[in-house]
Amino acid sequence: MSNSDNNNKSTEIGKGAITKPINAGKKGLDLIRGARKLGKFAKLLKSIISKVLMSCIKWLLGILGPYVLVVIILIILLLLVLQSVASFDLFQKASTRSETEVVFDNAVKQVFELRLEQGPAEIRDRLRSTQSEYPYPPVSEPWLYQVGDMLKQSIAIPTIHHYFKNIENESYKAWHEKYKNYTAGNKELLLAKFIEIIDKEMAYYFEESPNYKPIFVEGSSPIDEFVKITTTTTCTHTDEDGNTTTTVSGPTTTKQNVSHEIIDEVQMGYLKAKIPYKELHTITDSTSSSGDCVSDITTELKLWVIDDGMPPMIELIPEELVRILTSTSKEGDYTRLVQVQDLEYSIDLGQEIDERFPKPDIDYEGLKKCYFKNKSIDPCIDEFVLGGTLGDLGGLTGGWYPKEFEDIYKKAANNCGIDWYILAAVHGKESTFSSNPVAFDPSLGSRDKDGNLVGAVGHFQFMPLTWLGWSAASDYPTTKKGNILVDDLSFITVPANIKKYGGRGMDGNNDGVASPWDLIDAATTAACYLKTIGYEKGNETSIKNALAKYNGGNVAWQSNGAQGYANDVYSTGKQYELGVSSPISVAPGDLTYPTTGRITSPYGWRDIGNGQEFHYGVDIGAGGRKNVPIVTVADGVVSYVGPLGTYGNIVRVQHEINGDKFETLYAHLASMNVKKGQTVKKGQQIAIMGSTGRSSGPHLHFEFHIPVYIKQATNPRNPMNYIPTPPIK
């Protein structure tokens, strides 16, 4: 940490609490904290007060006398704080700003936002380039933009550094004041001028600091990737006498091993993303003609590709957040690092500036004592920065689906009487949100594991006979599975043909064509088809049965494969609805498992080396893994978050399912993601596995109490009688 600019002295942020209420520092922060606790009520209060305050002052003075002046002053201070948070006010001058200073602040904000976008842009370009050439499919652009946004650093970081430079001492002159004589007559021209000036002056901070540059961790494919092409050529020659001869050559097969760059992780600043991958195995047919010869070509691809149907797992690195604020950012004429003794204030300020700002768990007193003892923060961070949770990533913590399709899902689902989020999950399952070429290319179809054509087509993978109508089998060569064995399937998109044969296909966008390769038509057809095969909103059993029939048909819908399909789609759809994504797989039914891993100690009596003791829960081990997520086993309300004796850090959640009440307890946690009173959903992450309290290593101690937890031995039950066995990772 630099010692320049009196940087070894605590910032005097408590001065001016009366004359400059927005610069009141720690005293002003008390108002900010109070405003944050009021939450939405405070915003409503602001609106109400601004409308009726003046009309109430006379009445209040008459009733309460001079004491009401104190109340009014506090209310005005609260409104000022709320106003300063609502608009970007770098130098915290609030209503005292001139028009020129307002333009200047807006310019600073735009420069920050543009500079903070450079890292995400580089991430998008790098990930995009890994699958930019044949045979690899391009990565979904909405997914790339979403990943970049997830890793973007909070605008609060540079704002905090500039803010602390502004308030470092009473004699400091804010660096923007040399432009105070600029006129704000033409605000657009002035804004452009300020952006040019600020970007040049701030280049050192963003360009020389490593905190805004992504770090890519490369990996390797776990499978052998290849392209295999099998060609059979048939040549038909007719001589002058009309005699025809046919020759067939092949099949000949060529196999080429391929490879591309695999990026396992991306880190930028205090955030790290694990990039999801999947195996892509496709077999497609095509033909080519040359003279009298026609070649039938089968292309088989086996590739390891980015799974852009899933969001990356985002991890907060709270230690890096502390380093960025206090030591590793660039300090200079326009920025100042945060003092350790002012760290808590700066983090609270960051959370007021930006809802994306993280929520680190820090022992501030311990950190300060360690820092002053060692004269350096580096040896203190690992011990006193205990964990933390991510801020609001703008919906990105939820299950991922392309937002640009949401209106299509909702319109189709509403017209047909089903839930939009289930329709979205079907789309993801069937064609990975139309990223699979079979979604839009009529010449392509799917094949089964043996390479036999099964012929499902379009965005929602309908069998051609289901789309056109099964009575068409009397007029066309077909298979029992629903294929129509012709080269050109365009006739199945004609509404008159669909009506003739009694098919399911629909013209969702009223353009006169009912095509499974048109997303709106396909989504509308899928939604109404689900409804006709038994989908009832709010009835989990009927929804899953309809999904199973969508996958397996009336004959095979009770098969394990169709039932598994239904459970997966239902679980994913519920995540889309709730806006929360489970970091682990979620079991079907009312309850899931709290984490993954081996059960290292069951419920009941056990010998711990110094005699027998009763174990009131089950232990699930980390198995050497780090940052293992803990999720709630069922819908419920958080009843307690914090330390509890030998349990260490715990979370308790109270549940009620079909009138049956119970409470679950999750112990030895490294960090917690929820707060008391918060409503949580089955599979929602609530904590990270740890080893706090009486613990010999990282694991989860999980208890199940009916109806509620009172103390350990009061109402315990064997959890394994109620939850599924966790999968071993």
Side-chain angles (χ1 to χ4, degrees), residues 238-392:
T238 303
D239 62 20
E240 294 178 354
D241 298 327
N243 299 315
T244 300
T245 58
T246 300
T247 59
V248 178
S249 61
T252 59
T253 299
T254 60
K255 182 178 179 181
Q256 178 184 1
N257 292 327
V258 296
S259 64
H260 67 135
E261 182 184 18
I262 303 293
I263 297 175
D264 277 341
E265 293 181 346
V266 183
Q267 179 179 338
M268 193 163 69
Y270 55 82
L271 296 172
K272 181 166 65 175
K274 179 70 174 178
I275 304 300
Y277 282 83
K278 65 180 180 181
E279 180 180 326
L280 177 64
H281 190 192
T282 63
I283 302 174
T284 57
D285 288 330
S286 61
T287 61
S288 66
S289 300
S290 177
D292 295 333
C293 299
V294 176
S295 296
D296 295 316
I297 304 168
T298 298
T299 303
E300 180 180 3
L301 302 177
K302 190 174 183 181
L303 308 171
W304 188 246
V305 299
I306 290 175
D307 186 357
D308 53 13
M310 291 293 292
M313 180 67 71
I314 300 295
E315 175 187 347
L316 170 66
I317 312 173
E319 299 87 352
E320 285 303 311
L321 175 64
V322 173
R323 290 189 180 96
I324 291 169
L325 288 172
T326 61
S327 59
T328 62
S329 289
K330 296 298 294 184
E331 186 173 51
D333 291 340
Y334 313 121
T335 60
R336 178 172 184 252
L337 300 178
V338 174
Q339 294 295 294
V340 175
Q341 54 268 41
D342 294 329
L343 180 62
E344 183 176 9
Y345 168 59
S346 74
I347 286 176
D348 280 339
L349 183 63
Q351 291 168 4
E352 293 301 330
I353 294 170
D354 182 12
E355 62 184 6
R356 292 171 55 98
F357 198 83
K359 299 173 177 60
D361 182 10
I362 300 172
D363 179 354
Y364 291 103
E365 292 303 316
L367 188 66
K368 284 189 286 188
K369 291 178 182 178
C370 179
Y371 165 72
F372 288 119
K373 177 182 177 181
N374 292 278
K375 308 302 181 185
S376 172
I377 197 171
D378 289 334
C380 308
I381 287 179
D382 288 340
E383 181 178 357
F384 296 102
V385 179
L386 307 176
T389 59
L390 294 167
D392 181 4

Side-chain angles (χ1 to χ4, degrees), residues 131-153:
Q131 294 182 198
S132 60
E133 297 180 358
Y134 178 84
Y136 297 97
V139 186
S140 163
E141 285 297 314
W143 184 88
L144 287 171
Y145 273 87
Q146 197 159 21
V147 172
D149 286 343
M150 293 173 88
L151 288 169
K152 183 187 292 185
Q153 303 294 278

Side-chain angles (χ1 to χ4, degrees), residues 121-189:
E122 184 178 345
I123 291 169
R124 290 193 294 271
D125 289 343
R126 181 74 175 273
L127 291 174
R128 185 187 293 116
S129 69
T130 65
Q131 294 182 198
S132 60
E133 297 180 358
Y134 178 84
Y136 297 97
V139 186
S140 163
E141 285 297 314
W143 184 88
L144 287 171
Y145 273 87
Q146 197 159 21
V147 172
D149 286 343
M150 293 173 88
L151 288 169
K152 183 187 292 185
Q153 303 294 278
S154 169
I155 196 173
I157 299 289
T159 306
I160 287 169
H161 286 139
H162 292 24
Y163 174 71
F164 268 80
K165 184 70 177 183
N166 182 48
I167 62 173
E168 64 177 347
N169 56 56
E170 291 180 335
S171 62
Y172 176 74
K173 187 176 182 180
W175 57 279
H176 74 293
E177 289 189 4
K178 58 185 175 183
Y179 307 113
K180 64 183 179 181
N181 292 327
Y182 279 55
T183 176
N186 189 324
K187 292 184 180 180
E188 291 186 2
L189 291 178

